[in-house]
C-alpha cells in the first residue's frame, strides 16, 4: 500500500496495491471446487488466499493440503505453524546464526513473530530480552514466556541507556521488528561481530519522518552484519522448522499467543490495530466457521 517504493519491483509479495485490488494473505480455507486432481471438495488447505470469505487460487500459487488430524487448532497453521513461525525460526537460526549463551534482543517481542523468536532463543540456551509497548505485555514475556528480562519502550526516555541496562555485556544478536530509533540503540550496544536480522520496521511503515540512522562507524569497526530477509527465503528449512516446532508444542516447551477477531468486516480494524500495537501475539481473523 506504499505510495512509492523501490521495493515494489523486487518480488511479487511487494507489488503495489491499487484501490479495488484483492489483497493476498496467508490463510487457511476449505476447498469448494477444484480443477486440480490433488485437491478435492472438503480438503483443508493453507497458503496465499485473499481477504474475504471466498478465494480463487490460481495455478502455481502457494497452496498446501493440511492434515486435519494434527491435533492443533486450524489457526495454528496461519500462525505458529505457518509463515509467522517459519519467519521466527528461520530468521533466528538461519539469518542470526546464534550460539548457546549469546545475548539476544527481540523488539516487538509480544508480536506474532517476536514472541516465538524469544522462545526459540531460550530453548537454545541464550540470554533473551524483549521490548514491548505496555506493562501487561512486559509481564507476559517474563512470567509466561520465560524471557530473562523485558522493558516497556514507551516508558524509556533513552533507548540506548535502556539497552545498556539490560545488556551490560552487550548484544550479540538483534532480531529487529521495529527499525527506527530501536535499531539505532541496538547497534550502539552491539558486540563485535554482532548480527542483526531485519524482519520488519513497524515504526517506519506509517511515519515518513521515522527512519533508522544507525552509527555507521559502529557497524564498520564492530563488523556488524545487518541482513533483511523474507519468509520465502527460508523454505529450505521448512521441514526442520515444522518438525521441531510440533515437537516443542506437544512437549509444552513452546507457547503461542493468538489475538482472534471474527467476521470479514473486522479485517480493516484488525489490520490498522497492528500499527497501534493493539494485538498480542498473532493477529488472526476468522471469516467463516471451521
Amino acid at each position: 500500500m506504499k505510495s512509492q517504493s523501490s521495493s515494489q519491483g523486487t518480488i511479487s509479495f511487494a507489488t503495489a496495491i491499487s484501490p479495488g485490488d484483492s489483497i493476498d494473505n496467508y490463510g487457511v480455507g476449505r476447498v469448494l471446487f477444484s480443477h486440480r486432481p490433488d485437491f478435492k471438495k472438503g480438503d483443508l488447505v493453507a497458503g496465499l488466499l485473499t481477504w474475504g470469505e471466498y478465494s480463487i487460487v490460481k495455478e502455481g500459487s502457494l497452496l498446501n493440503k493440511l492434515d486435519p488430524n494434527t491435533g492443533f487448532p486450524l489457526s495454528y497453521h496461519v500462525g505458529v505453524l505457518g509463515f509467522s513461525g517459519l519467519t521466527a525460526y528461520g530468521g533466528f537460526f538461519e539469518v542470526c546464526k546464534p550460539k548457546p549463551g549469546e545475548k539476544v534482543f527481540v523488539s516487538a517481542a509480544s508480536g506474532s513473530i517476536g514472541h516465538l523468536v524469544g522462545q526459540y532463543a531460550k530453548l537454545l540456551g541464550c540470554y533473551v530480552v524483549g521490548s514491548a509497548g505496555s506493562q501487561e505485555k512486559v509481564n507476559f514475556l517474563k512470567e509466561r514466556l520465560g524471557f530473562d528480562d523485558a522493558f516497556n519502550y514507551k516508558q524509556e526516555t533513552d533507548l540506548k541507556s535502556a539497552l545498556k541496562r539490560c545488556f551490560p555485556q552487550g548484544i550479540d544478536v538483534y532480531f529487529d521488528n521495529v527499525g527506527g530509533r530501536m535499531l539505532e540503540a541496538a547497534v550502539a550496544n552491539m558486540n563485535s561481530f554482532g548480527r542483526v536480522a531485519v524482519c520488519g520496521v513497524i515504526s517506519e511503515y506509517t511515519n515518513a519522518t521515522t527512519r533508522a540512522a544507525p552509527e555507521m562507524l559502529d557497524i564498520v569497526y564492530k563488523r556488524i552484519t545487518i541482513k533483511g530477509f523474507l519468509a520465502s527465503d527460508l523454505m529450505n528449512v521448512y521441514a526442520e522448522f515444522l518438525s521441531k516446532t510440533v515437537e516443542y508444542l506437544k512437549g509444552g516447551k513452546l507457547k503461542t499467543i493468538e489475538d482472534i477477531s471474527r467476521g470479514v468486516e473486522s479485517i480493516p480494524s484488525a489490520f490498522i490495530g497492528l500499527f497501534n500495537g493493539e494485538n498480542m501475539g498473532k493477529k488472526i481473523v476468522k471469516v467463516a466457521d471451521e
Side-chain angles (χ1 to χ4, degrees):
M1 294 183 182
K2 300 179 294 293
S3 58
Q4 181 64 42
S5 171
S6 60
S7 66
Q8 291 170 334
T10 58
I11 191 169
S12 60
F13 294 125
T15 302
I17 299 172
S18 300
D21 290 348
S22 61
I23 298 177
D24 291 337
N25 189 73
Y26 193 84
V28 170
R30 191 179 297 275
V31 175
L32 297 180
F33 181 82
S34 175
H35 286 295
R36 286 177 50 173
D38 50 336
F39 291 115
K40 64 180 186 296
K41 183 178 180 179
D43 282 344
L44 288 170
V45 294
L48 283 181
L49 308 180
T50 55
W51 285 7
E53 295 176 338
Y54 302 94
S55 293
I56 297 175
V57 181
K58 297 178 181 179
E59 184 72 34
S61 298
L62 175 65
L63 198 67
N64 295 306
K65 192 180 296 187
L66 292 181
D67 180 356
N69 302 312
T70 60
F72 296 117
L74 289 182
S75 56
Y76 276 31
H77 297 283
V78 179
V80 64
L81 299 177
F83 266 20
S84 291
L86 176 62
T87 301
Y89 185 93
F92 183 60
F93 289 105
E94 291 295 298
V95 179
C96 297
K97 302 292 184 183
K99 304 178 186 67
E102 286 194 314
K103 310 297 188 295
V104 176
F105 173 46
V106 184
S107 57
S110 65
S112 64
I113 294 169
H115 85 283
L116 298 174
V117 172
Q119 292 180 85
Y120 286 132
K122 286 301 299 177
L123 287 166
L124 182 64
C126 297
Y127 175 82
V128 183
V129 176
S131 65
S134 73
Q135 194 57 45
E136 177 190 6
K137 293 178 179 180
V138 166
N139 293 343
F140 191 88
L141 293 174
K142 294 194 291 185
E143 297 168 8
R144 292 286 303 279
L145 301 187
F147 280 57
D148 294 287
D149 202 354
F151 64 92
N152 180 354
Y153 72 89
K154 293 180 181 178
Q155 295 182 342
E156 301 290 344
T157 57
D158 186 337
L159 291 176
K160 291 180 181 179
S161 296
L163 287 177
K164 183 66 176 179
R165 182 181 72 240
C166 293
F167 293 99
Q169 296 179 318
I171 301 168
D172 298 305
V173 169
Y174 173 36
F175 197 98
D176 186 15
N177 294 299
V178 171
R181 293 190 302 116
M182 194 69 79
L183 175 58
E184 295 172 8
V187 166
N189 283 276
M190 295 289 289
N191 289 327
S192 294
F193 302 103
R195 287 88 69 204
V196 179
V198 183
C199 176
V201 287
I202 192 69
S203 72
E204 301 185 20
Y205 294 141
T206 58
N207 188 343
T209 66
T210 304
R211 292 290 181 268
E215 177 56 67
M216 296 305 294
L217 284 178
D218 280 343
I219 295 171
V220 172
Y221 283 99
K222 294 181 182 179
R223 288 142 291 176
I224 295 169
T225 299
I226 301 178
K227 183 176 181 179
F229 70 98
L230 298 173
S232 56
D233 300 331
L234 305 169
M235 297 308 294
N236 61 309
V237 297
Y238 181 79
E240 174 189 313
F241 144 71
L242 199 59
S243 174
K244 285 288 188 183
T245 302
V246 166
E247 175 189 332
Y248 291 150
L249 287 169
K250 289 184 174 180
K253 296 179 179 179
L254 184 73
K255 300 179 179 68
T256 188
I257 322 167
E258 296 180 329
D259 188 337
I260 297 177
S261 300
R262 297 182 182 276
V264 69
E265 67 279 358
S266 73
I267 292 176
S269 60
F271 178 67
I272 292 168
L274 295 175
F275 301 97
N276 300 323
E278 295 175 6
N279 65 300
M280 187 182 295
K282 176 66 178 178
K283 186 62 188 180
I284 293 171
V285 178
K286 289 187 176 182
V287 298
D289 294 330
E290 297 180 7

